[in-house]
């Protein structure tokens, strides 16, 4: 039995020794997304930008109408705050995370978490760039995430 375990023992011992003498792991270099060969611009609108809020309201109204057969809409916003700006680091796609209190057409207000990210569409000229937008918006309304896109309680939509 000792002869059967000896190759396994030596392989384990060699692995432990190599890990012990390899030295500390170093952090990788961060290359800002703006300086890459195919760079991102990192020019994002603010959380209170009218077009950003319009996109959230419009997509919410269309989703409620088309998927949930509801006439619920967002009628206004207040308490708009920036939660984080590029929280994953400089070398990832530029994103800004925001929150706001949304006034709904049913008379209640609900918290909305949304993020503004640099466009993730197809790059290049031609028919693929028809209607190209420089940024995209994702959102989640607390209590109305019926499709469980960002569960639980829109926590996945936050940084």
């Amino acid at each position: 039995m000792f002869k059967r375990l000896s190759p396994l023992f030596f392989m384990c011992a060699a692995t432990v020794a190599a890990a012990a003498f390899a030295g500390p792991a170093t952090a990788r270099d961060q290359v800002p997304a703006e300086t890459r060969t195919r760079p991102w611009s990192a020019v994002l609108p603010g959380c209170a930008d009218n077009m950003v809020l319009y996109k959230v309201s419009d997509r919410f109204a269309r989703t409620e109408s088309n998927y949930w057969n509801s006439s619920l809409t967002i009628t206004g916003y207040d308490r708009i705050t920036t939660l984080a700006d590029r929280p994953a680091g400089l070398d990832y796609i530029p994103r800004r995370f925001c929150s706001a209190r949304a006034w709904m057409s049913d008379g209640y207000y609900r918290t909305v978490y949304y993020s503004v990210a640099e466009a993730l569409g197809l790059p290049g000229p031609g028919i693929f760039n028809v209607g190209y937008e420089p940024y995209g918006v994702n959102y989640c309304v607390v209590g109305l995430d019926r499709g469980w896109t960002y569960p639980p309680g829109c926590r996945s939509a936050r940084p």
Side-chain angles (χ1 to χ4, degrees), residues 123-137:
I127 60 170
F128 299 113
N129 266 346
V130 174
Y132 175 79
E133 296 180 356
Y135 62 91
V137 178

Side-chain angles (χ1 to χ4, degrees), residues 57-77:
S57 299
D58 183 57
R59 285 185 56 201
F60 177 77
R62 283 190 288 134
T63 301
E64 286 294 305
S65 174
N66 294 339
Y67 293 103
W68 306 111
N69 197 21
S70 167
S71 62
L72 193 62
T73 60
I74 297 175
T75 58
Y77 296 93

Side-chain angles (χ1 to χ4, degrees), residues 1-3 12 16 19-20 24 29 38 50-51 55 69 84 93 95-96 101 113 116 123 136 144 152:
M1 181 163 171
F2 181 72
K3 290 186 182 216
C12 291
V16 170
D29 293 332
R38 302 184 92 197
N50 286 335
M51 276 308 292
K55 284 184 179 189
N69 197 21
I93 297 170
R95 283 185 171 86
R96 177 172 291 132
R101 185 169 71 169
Y113 294 103
V116 183
L144 294 174

Side-chain angles (χ1 to χ4, degrees), residues 40-144:
W40 299 99
S41 68
V43 177
L44 295 173
C47 293
D49 185 81
N50 286 335
M51 276 308 292
V52 171
L53 297 176
Y54 171 77
K55 284 184 179 189
V56 172
S57 299
D58 183 57
R59 285 185 56 201
F60 177 77
R62 283 190 288 134
T63 301
E64 286 294 305
S65 174
N66 294 339
Y67 293 103
W68 306 111
N69 197 21
S70 167
S71 62
L72 193 62
T73 60
I74 297 175
T75 58
Y77 296 93
D78 66 354
R79 299 183 186 174
I80 300 169
T81 58
T82 300
L83 298 176
D85 194 16
R86 298 182 84 163
L90 290 176
D91 53 346
Y92 289 97
I93 297 170
R95 283 185 171 86
R96 177 172 291 132
F97 290 88
C98 312
S99 71
R101 185 169 71 169
W103 293 98
M104 311 302 279
S105 59
D106 62 359
Y108 295 100
Y109 65 87
R110 293 177 175 88
T111 303
V112 178
Y113 294 103
Y114 55 101
S115 63
V116 183
E118 185 121 5
L120 304 176
L122 296 171
I127 60 170
F128 299 113
N129 266 346
V130 174
Y132 175 79
E133 296 180 356
Y135 62 91
V137 178
N138 292 324
Y139 74 93
C140 182
V141 179
V142 176
L144 294 174

